[in-house]
Each structure stands twice: as C-alpha cells, then as structure tokens.
Amino acid sequence: MTRLNPRPHGRFFAGLSLLLATGAARADYTWNFPTPVTPIARDTLNIHNEFMVIITVLFVVVFSIMVYSMVKHRKSSGVEPATFTGPTGAFQWFWVLVPFGILLFIDFVLMGIPAFHAVIEMEDTRTKADMVLKVTGLQWKWQYEYPDSGIKFISTMSTPREQIEGKEAKGENYLLEVDNEVVLPVGKKVRVLLTSTDVIHTWWVPQFGVKRDAIPGFLRETWVRIEEPGVYRGQCAELCGKDHGFMPVVVRAVPEAEYAAWVDKKKTEMAAAAAGSDRAWTKDELMAAGKAGYDKNCAACHQAEGQGLPPAFPALAGSKIVTGPLLSPEGKLIPDSHVDRVFNGKAGTAMQAFKATLSDADLAAIITYERNAFGNNKGDMIQPAQIKALR
C-alpha cells in the first residue's frame, strides 16, 4: 500500500539526508580559514588556532566546575548556603588569586606575546621591501601603480551583466573576476600603499591575511610576500556605495622570470596606448572603443542605455550637458561642459574625474560615444590629440 502521508520522523530523516547530500556537493566550503600563502596569513591562522584551543580549554574547565558545583551543592541534597561575603581564609584567597594569576599569564604571555609579534610583523612594511604597489580605490574599481616600473592601469570587474541580471548561468568566479589582474612575483616582499579618491574602500584578499582601508587624503600601508604561485581573489570589504559588491580584487602570483616578462608586455601596451594619442582616429574607431570604455567605466552609474538612476546618477540620453558644445571656438575646455565633466568630474557628487585614470584615447572614445549614442546623435567627435592638448 502506498503511504501518501509519511510520518513526521520520516520527513525529518528525509530532510536530513537531503541536507547531508547538499553538504557533500558543496564540500569546497569549509569552516576554517582559506589556505594561507603569506607570512601574515600564516601567523594569523596559527594565532587563531592557538587562541581557540586556549579558550576552549577554559570554557570546558569553568563550565565543568559550574556544573559540578550546582549538582554537588544543590539544596535538595541538604547543603546549607554559606554566609560569608568574600574570601576570609588563606585557602579562599588561594582560589581567588591563583585563577586570577593564571588568567594574567594566559592573557599577557600565551596570547599577548604571539599577538604582539604578529602586529609588529604586520606593520613592518619597509624592512627589506623588494618593490612597491600603490592601490587606489575608486567607485567602483581599483587603480594599480608600479612606481619602480612606471606601470599604471585600472582593474574593473569583468563578470558579464547578463550573469548579474540572471539572464545567464553564474560563472565559476562570479563577481570575483577582472579585466586586468594584479601580477606580483612570488617570494618578493611587496610594500602596498593604499589610498582612495572618493570614499573609504577596503582592499582585502583573504589568503594574504591582508585587509586594509583605503581612505581619501591618507596613505596607508601593508605588505605581502606570496609564497606560492596562483590566482588569489578578494574584494572591497567596505560599504562604499551602490556597486560595493562589484569591486573584486584579483592577484596573480608568478615566478620572477614570468613577472619580468609581464612587465615588458605591459610597458609595450602602455607605449602603444600613448602612441594612439598622436594619430587621427575615425569616428567608427572611436565609437567602437567608446562603447567598450563606457561599459567598463560608466555603465554602472549611468546604465547600459544611458538612462541613469536619477537623481544620484543623471541620464545621459537627451542630456543638455552631453549634447552641448564640445569645446570653445579656440579649442579650449568649456567649464562644466561634457568634456569638463568627464575630464575633471563634479565636486560634491559621485561623478569622479577620469583625467588621471584613463588614457587620451579612452577619454576621446567615451566622449564621442556618449555624444552619438542613446539617441543623442550629435554627429561630432573629439580626437585623442585634442584631449592630450587639454591636459
């Protein structure tokens, strides 16, 4: 006979089996820290584990004493309550001072010394540093600079909007993938300088044991020495605005020879981008490059079709600023014009200045695209050479 209504305990065990099966399918999720790959992360994990052992032992001992005392001295067994209000004899003072001394020893020796050592190591950013990486937080991307190599680039999340909007299946590294990875050599101490151009961001890579705020107007420091090659992912850990959850960090650690090859390749790419400022671009070239640049740098605020999110992020479609004059008759910058807004931003708003973060070609392409997309159809364009002359 088929049972249409199984017993409650049957449903319970069925649900438990399903839960365990789900847990097995998600075995990559653990209760521990991710595998540490830097000295800081390793020290943090070791200290965490040591502290957990200590506090677990304390909990078991104290809880056992409490349970024993409550059972042994309960009223039903005929125990009479004590009348003293504090320690009076040597034996009672012993049970007061010895546990207190043990706690001081645990706090200042067993826990204090390792914690002090870890903090000193975390803050020692300059001793034997092999290179410097400057990290600048912007809404909502990261800018990286290698002062020793002259390399500078923007790193933006590359997860397709179709995945974010639920139109496609989520990828393996959903929301934790970028167009330009940070590349660092294995075994080298990297001094990391952090700042921000707008609000507080936090540069966080769990496997590095590093989580440091990037604060506007301040230069903060940390360091990493990656011990194993690989790709390590993190994200902004500060509530920095609308797209806070779309600001990943991706670091690729490679052997020194591979890092040197990457530096040479990056320098060649930057030289090619700089050379692009000196040639005349066709409108089709600017529009194609402009769409790519707009999707990467502008669509998060002004939306894919330029409709914006008023009042914080105004629409570009039909905007009087976007469809206004391009430059003055003398070829100069018009205050509060379209070019000025993209170039220098607007104080007191979320509109950031792209002058220092985008190349001449990128700026020219984005401006040209915005003036001829979303139904604006101005028909004009601006050349990278003109942007270069405005700097």
Side-chain angles (χ1 to χ4, degrees), residues 222-240:
T222 187
W223 66 276
V224 298
R225 183 168 62 240
I226 308 171
E227 299 168 337
E228 299 179 14
V231 177
Y232 305 103
R233 303 179 188 274
Q235 58 194 135
C236 177
E238 183 64 47
L239 295 176
C240 58

Side-chain angles (χ1 to χ4, degrees), residues 145-159:
E145 299 178 59
Y146 296 69
D148 298 334
S149 305
I151 294 174
K152 179 179 178 180
F153 59 88
I154 295 288
S155 180
T156 308
M157 187 187 70
S158 59
T159 297

Side-chain angles (χ1 to χ4, degrees), residues 265-278:
K265 178 184 177 183
K266 208 67 178 176
K267 286 182 177 179
T268 301
E269 292 176 357
M270 292 179 63
S277 301
D278 299 322

Side-chain angles (χ1 to χ4, degrees), residues 265-334:
K265 178 184 177 183
K266 208 67 178 176
K267 286 182 177 179
T268 301
E269 292 176 357
M270 292 179 63
S277 301
D278 299 322
R279 73 174 180 87
W281 290 51
T282 66
K283 185 178 179 182
D284 289 342
E285 289 177 323
L286 290 172
M287 289 294 290
K291 185 181 188 312
Y294 178 87
D295 291 343
K296 180 189 299 185
N297 298 283
C298 313
C301 297
H302 295 291
Q303 304 301 289
E305 300 301 324
Q307 71 270 29
L309 292 171
F313 308 108
L316 300 183
S319 167
K320 293 182 179 180
I321 293 178
V322 175
T323 57
L326 191 60
L327 297 172
S328 71
E330 298 80 20
K332 302 296 183 181
L333 193 66
I334 301 174

Side-chain angles (χ1 to χ4, degrees), residues 8 113 166 183 232 262 293 302:
I113 292 177
V183 178
Y232 305 103
W262 175 83
H302 295 291

Side-chain angles (χ1 to χ4, degrees), residues 330-358:
E330 298 80 20
K332 302 296 183 181
L333 193 66
I334 301 174
D336 209 30
S337 64
H338 182 206
V339 178
D340 185 36
R341 288 282 181 92
V342 176
F343 218 53
N344 299 312
K346 183 173 177 60
T349 71
M351 181 61 194
Q352 61 185 268
F354 288 97
K355 177 180 179 180
T357 58
L358 296 181

